[in-house]
Amino acid sequence: MSIALTLCSALLATAVTALPAEAAATGHTGTAAAWEVKAPPGSPTAVVALNPADGSPTLTVRRAGEQVLAPSPLGLVTEQADFSKGLELSGRTTRTVTERYTSTTGKSRKRVARMTESRFRFRTAEGARLDLLVRVAPDGVAYRYALPRATGNVLREASAFTLPTDTTTAVVNAYRADNELPFKRYESAATAPAGGYSIQALFHTPGGYALIAESDLNGTYAGAHLTHEAGSPTYKVSLWNDEPVVAQGSLTTPWRTVVTGDLATVTESTLVDDLAPPSRIRDTSWIKPGPALWTWLAGGKTAGQSLAAQKEYVDYAAERGWPYEVVDAGWYFKPGEWEVIDPDWQTNNWMPELVRYGTAKGVGIQVWLHYSLLTDPAEREKWLGTLESWGVKGVKIDFMDSESQDRMRWYDEVLEATARHHLLVNFHGSTIPKGIQRTWPQVMTMEGVGGEEKRNNTAEQLASLPFTRNVIGSMDFTPGAFHRPYRPNVASDAGELGLTVLYESGIQNLAGTPESYEARPEARRYLEQLPRRWEETRLLTGDPGRAAVLARRAADGRWFIGGTFAGAARTADVPLRLGAGRWLVETVTDGPSGALVREGRVVRGDSTLAVPVIADGGFAALACRWQPGRTTCDS
């Protein structure tokens, strides 16, 4: 089966207004030539400047009269031209961009992006041209480079982010190809150790919080990460393994992005998606998010090769009302062996029977694949075509472990193929989203995080993710593994339950065993209420690395709330942002005996909720409009 792929102009309402070109600055006069890019009041301001001494470009970002970014280097170097210095401005045009789109996943469904864009046309003394595109939105600033003519491969970027010297905190994670190392909090941008960091770093600057990110990465470029020298406030942009980016003809780079504002603005931002290209899929009716029973932590290798076990998981998912069950590694291996593919897997496999069984019970089946099965075009078509013919709903593709340009090209090919075969996608061992879910909405979630199956997580990590990794896109943390002895909130079942709301994922892979849910009836009841997607997200309170409480609204108007806290036991004061009127709020907390306790109370939608939290714990809550006689928010 195939689908039409399109640039989605029919789905996108875009208003673009070009303003007259501004006079070009000429020569180096001894004072920096500077140009502002502004958006509506309350938005940050970007300032592009040329150093009078050497013609090197910089970007400064200000908000509310304070610096978010100090003057930060711009530019890149190709085989034939150095665009990091010796530049002169030959022209500038400015336009406004308004885009409306609907997201299949994420923190909100209906999106409106309003941005001011300036294109600065720079030239070197030799006549080579570099265009710098700068966009300013209410929630951030982004820039990218465009090379209108071929100048050879890109050797490196001069791009960097220099934080003001009085930046107070940094929440960063050391860079690794799978993006799974934990986040750590430092007292300032300069005090983080020297080394490489993932391009999802959060800083608290005088002008507000600033989350460094990237958007619109594809096979025309390589993934980037940050490099830092000890004691420096600057984080440089480095490309994969410092390898050249192969460029044939003109080239446009990914967006380098600073999501900025108060903590709520950053947490609720969709700027990374807003900067990405529109959906390439015309008909998205088959793309359906929702909770899943994930069988890897529940059953491991044994379950991966057992039809009987998988049918029992399907039964349990059906009883809970979860729309999916995920079969992990093992299903296409030779019976009784591991990592040896059965040569007769297309004709001698129990997966079609499981799909039929699940379909009869209203549960769709998703399956695990090693990415190497999808590198050869013919093999890729065989695997994906067969899975579609069986009725499989989605694929979990694992172990890419690279952000090279070649691997980005592979992503491009697999995204087109999975869309054509109507298969939902979960990438593991992967890059991080970077706007991919807007362009390819069948991508339900991505790992790129040290999730529940890892053993090095901390309570600090749990309280960092809502403000870093999960801001930029869906995150497959796989919460709900109550039976795991390695989770950092092991004493707090309420905290574990809260993660299923605190962390957004288009497919929320619930990692517990049926037995662990049955032993916790209040958790089971709450998980049965989880909606398939979120309409809106609001930060209620938080301190990156220490505490986070988010509320997410379902389509039926109910608000689900999840909170996590690092440190000592406390009574947390949670300011509600639910709307006017009276609400019934049911909290699930850790009781004195360790059992979960559900308590309902009627409060005003703008009141403050006092919630008891144990050490390194958390809570979950469900809120609905109160009316006389209503005693529960269960649907």
Side-chain angles (χ1 to χ4, degrees), residues 322-378:
W322 299 333
Y324 296 110
E325 188 248 13
V326 179
V327 183
D328 217 277
W331 68 271
Y332 56 76
F333 297 151
K334 292 184 69 174
E337 298 190 34
W338 195 254
E339 297 185 357
V340 178
I341 298 175
D342 184 349
D344 299 319
W345 69 269
Q346 284 180 290
T347 57
N348 186 32
N349 196 281
W350 45 260
M351 188 58 66
E353 182 179 346
L354 181 66
V355 170
R356 290 191 294 271
Y357 187 81
T359 299
K361 291 178 173 285
V363 176
I365 304 300
Q366 302 187 34
V367 301
W368 181 92
L369 295 173
H370 196 285
Y371 94 96
S372 60
L373 301 174
L374 307 178
T375 54
D376 176 76

Side-chain angles (χ1 to χ4, degrees), residues 205-422:
T205 77
Y209 283 91
L211 177 67
I212 309 303
E214 184 177 31
S215 182
D216 192 15
L217 172 64
N218 56 47
T220 64
Y221 215 71
H225 63 276
L226 304 174
T227 56
H228 176 244
E229 296 178 2
S232 171
T234 298
Y235 288 71
K236 300 177 182 179
V237 173
S238 297
L239 300 177
W240 172 260
N241 281 354
D242 294 324
E243 296 172 356
V245 170
V246 177
Q248 299 176 346
S250 60
L251 174 69
T252 300
T253 70
W255 291 101
R256 307 286 175 236
T257 308
V258 183
V259 184
T260 187
D262 60 22
L263 192 58
T265 298
V266 171
T267 309
E268 298 166 16
S269 171
T270 60
L271 182 59
V272 173
D273 283 345
D274 296 344
L275 291 164
S279 173
R280 297 268 315 263
I281 301 176
R282 184 188 298 274
D283 176 18
T284 60
S285 61
W286 57 276
I287 301 175
K288 298 177 181 180
L293 193 160
W294 177 46
T295 62
W296 180 249
L297 291 190
K301 292 182 178 181
T302 302
Q305 294 194 328
S306 171
L307 173 61
Q310 296 297 333
K311 284 184 174 181
E312 290 180 1
Y313 291 133
V314 166
D315 290 342
Y316 197 78
E319 291 168 6
R320 306 281 77 77
W322 299 333
Y324 296 110
E325 188 248 13
V326 179
V327 183
D328 217 277
W331 68 271
Y332 56 76
F333 297 151
K334 292 184 69 174
E337 298 190 34
W338 195 254
E339 297 185 357
V340 178
I341 298 175
D342 184 349
D344 299 319
W345 69 269
Q346 284 180 290
T347 57
N348 186 32
N349 196 281
W350 45 260
M351 188 58 66
E353 182 179 346
L354 181 66
V355 170
R356 290 191 294 271
Y357 187 81
T359 299
K361 291 178 173 285
V363 176
I365 304 300
Q366 302 187 34
V367 301
W368 181 92
L369 295 173
H370 196 285
Y371 94 96
S372 60
L373 301 174
L374 307 178
T375 54
D376 176 76
E379 282 294 301
R380 179 166 59 238
E381 191 64 21
K382 180 177 77 173
W383 282 91
L384 300 183
T386 300
L387 294 177
E388 182 189 20
S389 70
W390 287 350
V392 169
K393 298 299 183 183
V395 287
K396 174 184 174 181
I397 308 173
D398 207 347
F399 291 115
M400 285 71 70
D401 292 337
S402 171
E403 295 182 317
S404 68
Q405 187 177 13
D406 282 345
R407 196 56 46 81
M408 292 303 112
R409 292 193 189 103
W410 175 89
Y411 276 102
D412 292 345
E413 295 168 357
V414 167
L415 288 164
E416 187 278 333
T418 52
R420 183 161 34 83
H421 288 290
H422 287 187

